[in-house]
Amino acid sequence: MEFRIERSALTDAVAWAARVLPTRSPVPVLGGLLLEASDGRLRISGLDYEASACIEVEAETVRAGKVLVMGRRLLDVCRVLPEGAVQCAVEGSRFSLTSDSARFGLSVLPFDDYPALPSLPEVLGAVDAEEFAAAVAHVSVAAGRDETLPILTGIRLALDGDTMTLAATDRYRFAVRTLLWKPGKDGVSADVVVSARRLTEIARSFGRAGMVQLALDGGSAGFELAGMRTTVRLLDGRLPRHDKLFAMVDPVSAVTDRAPLVEAVKRVAVVAEGGSPLQLTFSGGSVLLQAGYEDDVASQRLPAVLEGTDELTVAFNPSYLMDALASFDAPVVRFDLMGPGQRAMVTGRASREDAADDASHPAHQHLLMSAKPLV
């Protein structure tokens, strides 16, 4: 096996495939990347028990063949190679990389115990890569981190006609985002749960251009774009439905500009230690943010519009509130509030006028449970 390729192209391809490699594995060969060169193409693939990745790039093939080498070591080498063309070849029990005057030799792993790359499930349709990445980012902040409850570490991916719904919850917050996609045929429907960490990595890795092919079967999800293909094992179980939780009857609404609120939350939350809440008091055309106890306190007042009552005080976990606000891109946010210690819905709007429209149904919604206000 022998091929030539530009250092930047090789490094990018190796980094993309190496994302799925396990940090530690009882099977050493799962730390390897499989490189296959033929007909002017280089195919690099890797896998572990949960995910797989495969990418094809152009490379000048001198001698066709394949080799299995430790992926993270190969990536380290690629990152320090000089710019320019890299000559790669299998020489006995070593895989050599030569660029300018730099030369590296890596040990070759045996193929005997290396599993076959899983095939891509049935392709159901396609979704815009940039919109998909943004939607995954919007909901992933609400996914759980506790691995003892695996289903809560996932993102629900539901398909119904030309609508895709992504949702995540850790029981204390619930984020939902809907977007349009292009099904490959009529009547496409699905409802699965994918690891939030894996799905976030996948969505980011495809960049901002093109249509991502989405594939699903009973046990895995697959994604493909421009020579990049990845699969991930589905999580067992189902996330709770959000329909009833999100149905809020006669809430009090409060509207304010998002960017100043984000900065105020960051500022006031500095004194909110030990999980103490951050309090928001809406009244008289403003919102007063307060946090802290005894002598360590902070506050800031911002313009806000409250509808449905003259005054209302609610409180939130500062980190959860910050995550929710940061997940929106809109200039204005609206809070639909049921009262202290109850549900609060956060949505993003294009303007204050749009935020005042109760009939509008935002694609991105983030539900928080409010805490007990400060005494």
Side-chain angles (χ1 to χ4, degrees), residues 271-320:
V271 298
E273 296 181 358
S276 61
L278 188 151
Q279 179 173 292
L280 285 76
T281 300
F282 294 93
S283 65
S286 68
V287 55
L288 176 64
L289 287 77
Q290 296 173 286
Y293 288 106
E294 299 180 349
D295 295 330
D296 296 333
V297 295
S299 65
Q300 183 170 351
R301 190 179 294 274
L302 298 173
V305 176
L306 181 68
E307 293 184 358
T309 189
D310 294 331
E311 181 175 326
L312 182 64
T313 298
V314 291
F316 299 101
N317 177 300
S319 296
Y320 290 176

Side-chain angles (χ1 to χ4, degrees), residues 45-246:
S45 54
L47 75 164
D48 70 0
Y49 293 114
E50 293 184 355
S52 72
C54 177
I55 182 170
E56 289 191 11
V57 293
E58 293 184 358
E60 181 185 345
T61 305
V62 179
R63 188 172 70 253
K66 62 182 180 178
V67 65
L68 183 66
V69 295
M70 292 302 296
R72 300 192 188 282
R73 177 56 58 86
L74 176 60
L75 180 57
D76 290 342
V77 169
C78 290
R79 285 172 171 164
V80 298
L81 285 171
E83 292 292 342
V86 183
Q87 183 82 22
C88 302
V90 175
E91 300 172 347
S93 61
R94 282 187 178 177
F95 176 64
S96 68
L97 300 92
T98 305
S99 178
D100 195 9
S101 59
R103 179 180 173 85
F104 292 85
L106 300 180
S107 300
V108 172
L109 299 174
F111 294 108
D112 298 346
D113 298 326
Y114 193 71
L117 198 70
S119 58
L120 195 72
E122 179 189 1
V123 175
L124 301 183
V127 61
D128 180 86
E130 184 174 4
E131 291 185 10
F132 182 63
V136 171
H138 288 160
V139 303
S140 62
V141 295
R145 306 291 187 269
D146 186 357
E147 295 294 340
T148 62
L149 297 170
I151 192 63
L152 294 183
T153 66
I155 291 177
R156 178 189 176 213
L157 193 162
L159 306 175
D160 184 8
D162 62 356
T163 300
M164 175 185 293
T165 300
L166 301 173
T169 181
D170 61 1
R171 295 181 299 181
Y172 305 103
R173 46 195 171 161
F174 208 135
V176 174
R177 174 73 158 83
T178 59
L179 67 160
L180 295 177
W181 78 301
K182 295 183 177 179
K185 59 184 179 181
D186 293 336
V188 172
S189 66
D191 195 341
V192 299
V193 181
V194 185
S195 161
R197 178 178 65 84
R198 294 286 190 183
L199 194 59
T200 299
E201 289 177 352
I202 290 168
R204 286 175 179 170
S205 72
F206 284 127
R208 300 190 171 209
M211 298 293 290
V212 177
Q213 300 292 317
L214 170 61
L216 287 173
D217 62 18
S220 64
F223 305 86
E224 185 171 21
L225 171 65
M228 297 176 286
R229 187 185 78 194
T230 185
T231 64
V232 59
R233 182 176 60 83
L234 300 177
L235 298 180
D236 295 328
R238 291 286 183 268
L239 284 179
R241 302 284 300 197
H242 64 274
D243 311 69
K244 292 183 179 179
L245 276 174
F246 281 30

